[in-house]
Amino acid sequence: MSPPEYHDDKGVFSVTEEDVPQAYNSRYYTDQYNTRPTLLRSVSGTLLQEERRHRQRLACRMLMLVAAVMAATIYVGITGVLNTPNGEAPSLLRSIFGPFVRDHFPTQRPSRLEHPNRVSNYHTCALTPEPLSCHLPVSPPDTVDTCCVNAPGGQLLLAQFWDFAPAVGPTDKWTLHGLWPDNCDGSYEQFCDDARVVNSIETVFQTAGATELLASMRDTWKSNSGRDDSLWTHEWNKHGTCISTLAPPCYGPEENITAPMVEYFARAVNLHSTLDTFSALADAGIVPSWDRHFNKSDILEALSSVSDGHNVTLGCTRSGVLSEVWYHFNVKGRAQDGEYIFTEPDGIKGFCPETGVKYFPKVFRDKKPVPSPPTPPSTEPFTGKGYIIVNDGNQGCLISGGEWYSSGTCATIRGSVSEFGGVELHSSRGPCTVSEKGRFVCGRRVTPGQFTVGEKGELLYGGVGAWGAYQRAAGWLKEGLWNGKWAEQLQLPVEVKLFWRAL
């Protein structure tokens, strides 16, 4: 039997029995007339089978690659739903996977570390002794369940309004502003959980049947714009979502979302009812007046009778009219049902003058009109149009995306007073804020952040005016800026502050 012949376009050649082992070990055979490899179609069927196996291996690898790409895409989509910070483009799959992820992967989970006083898996918190916020032996979650004591926002502030222009609420009562968690050092977190942001607290409570609580809030928790529901919704979204003991996993396996909202507002209303600011001031002879002025120290002394001898924080308008009081507490146990213990303010707060404080009466439309505070001049920090200057000893400012730049043109920033306090900033790219990772950013997909202004005119976020960078901006190099604790965590070597230059 003659050896099999193989044809190509150059000639005819053959493989003998002696060549079979060599041909079997190689997928290709090259003849002496042609340097191009010629695929051996068959050596008793063996090479054809090997070729099929090779193609199957290639197909399998391709499927594995496709599966890996899909898995990575889904992972990015899920993490985009959970952790998309302001100023960063959200995952394309956010809208697709959002409802599923929010139901099955809650974004704010307390520590699951075992604690010797934990009595069940769902944090009934019968702890002995009960931990006191801001007085923990080490930082959570090392030794304490954050479903049982609020951390890191361990100092709780109860803020009250005295709205006189326009007049809001009873003429002999202060109204409720909010219940806020501070980080025990004067800083605070805000808008901590996008998954629990709501559009209307009133709608949520009506659906849940919390009608009595709503009625109380309508009497005591008032907005000077007349949009009470907007104020309530803002307070929950900004502050309520940052109280660790209100996290949904603290309420059981189904991770109830409505119950923490109801308990947050009920606790705030109840606490407010125990703090009669108007009567304490009146007992000390400090009553609303058009022409009397008061010393800040006398007001603090009068209110110490309410705060168990501790200082409170006073807030005044820019023209020196008393408008707000903050009471400071540490909490033994949970924020929603624990024992509130008065304490000193956790930082320098408030902007009332030492002397000449005014305390205007509340006057409604049918009575004597209240003179409005003077309109801020164009040089008022962070209002109107201006530049945000980086004070580092060198020339520098922010550009439209929020980066620090030392060359080129500064971005024109528009600043305006926020409806709920502080200022909002906008560049040509869109609103500005500090992302969940702590970076100053501006963009169209950004929710405007609430900034405040320090005593020296510096820009604050979360009560912190320190900003950090990896290096100083130089030439055409753009540098990002991170606020406060994030800069500390990243160990950024350059610290700067941000100031306003009006146009």
Side-chain angles (χ1 to χ4, degrees), residues 350-417:
F351 298 96
C352 283
E354 294 298 325
T355 60
V357 178
K358 307 165 192 174
Y359 183 22
F360 285 162
K362 291 183 181 181
V363 176
F364 295 86
R365 294 180 181 178
D366 58 343
K367 300 180 180 180
K368 179 180 177 181
V370 178
S372 300
T375 303
S378 59
T379 56
E380 190 73 20
F382 300 95
T383 58
K385 290 184 179 181
Y387 302 140
I388 295 181
I389 304 301
V390 180
N391 179 30
D392 72 327
N394 299 318
Q395 185 66 28
C397 58
L398 299 192
I399 55 177
S400 58
E403 296 92 353
W404 173 18
Y405 210 33
S406 65
S407 300
T409 305
C410 299
T412 299
I413 305 294
R414 292 179 292 108
S416 60
V417 177

Side-chain angles (χ1 to χ4, degrees), residues 128-369:
T128 305
E130 288 184 304
L132 179 64
S133 62
C134 290
H135 293 78
L136 306 177
V138 295
S139 298
D142 295 332
T143 62
V144 70
D145 183 350
T146 54
C147 282
C148 301
V149 61
N150 198 58
Q155 181 161 133
L156 276 293
L157 281 65
L158 193 288
Q160 295 180 340
F161 272 142
W162 180 257
D163 286 319
F164 59 91
V168 175
T171 58
D172 61 348
K173 296 290 183 183
W174 287 58
T175 58
L176 179 55
H177 183 178
L179 182 62
W180 310 334
D182 271 21
N183 290 334
C184 306
D185 60 2
S187 67
Y188 58 90
E189 297 177 333
Q190 53 184 324
F191 302 105
C192 294
D193 189 353
D194 288 344
R196 290 189 286 155
V197 166
V198 296
N199 295 322
S200 170
I201 287 294
E202 186 169 17
T203 300
V204 172
F205 282 12
Q206 287 173 343
T207 303
T211 54
E212 292 186 8
L213 177 57
L214 268 179
S216 297
M217 291 165 59
R218 292 189 181 109
D219 288 338
T220 61
W221 206 325
K222 310 295 293 182
S223 168
N224 62 2
S225 68
R227 300 188 301 126
D228 296 345
D229 185 42
S230 294
L231 174 59
W232 305 335
T233 303
H234 171 81
E235 291 301 304
W236 168 257
N237 292 342
K238 180 179 179 181
H239 300 292
T241 60
C242 296
I243 297 178
S244 68
T245 63
L246 296 174
C250 301
Y251 284 74
E254 296 182 0
E255 300 186 354
N256 192 306
I257 294 178
T258 303
M261 296 182 193
V262 173
E263 293 194 355
Y264 168 75
F265 285 96
R267 193 68 181 93
V269 169
N270 179 265
L271 188 62
H272 167 74
S273 68
T274 67
L275 305 171
D276 192 348
T277 300
F278 186 90
S279 296
L281 293 174
D283 290 345
I286 301 172
V287 294
S289 170
W290 293 112
D291 48 20
R292 291 184 62 190
H293 293 173
F294 304 94
N295 293 328
K296 179 180 177 181
S297 59
D298 293 335
I299 298 174
L300 292 174
E301 178 66 24
L303 294 180
S304 68
S305 63
V306 179
S307 61
D308 195 26
H310 292 276
N311 284 312
V312 300
T313 295
L314 304 179
C316 291
T317 67
R318 298 191 186 281
S319 57
V321 184
L322 183 63
S323 61
E324 198 158 3
V325 170
W326 300 350
Y327 293 92
H328 301 258
F329 301 90
N330 290 145
V331 182
K332 183 177 288 187
R334 304 191 306 171
Q336 55 268 47
D337 55 15
E339 179 185 357
Y340 278 65
I341 300 173
F342 286 105
T343 187
E344 291 294 310
D346 57 353
I348 299 175
K349 303 175 185 292
F351 298 96
C352 283
E354 294 298 325
T355 60
V357 178
K358 307 165 192 174
Y359 183 22
F360 285 162
K362 291 183 181 181
V363 176
F364 295 86
R365 294 180 181 178
D366 58 343
K367 300 180 180 180
K368 179 180 177 181

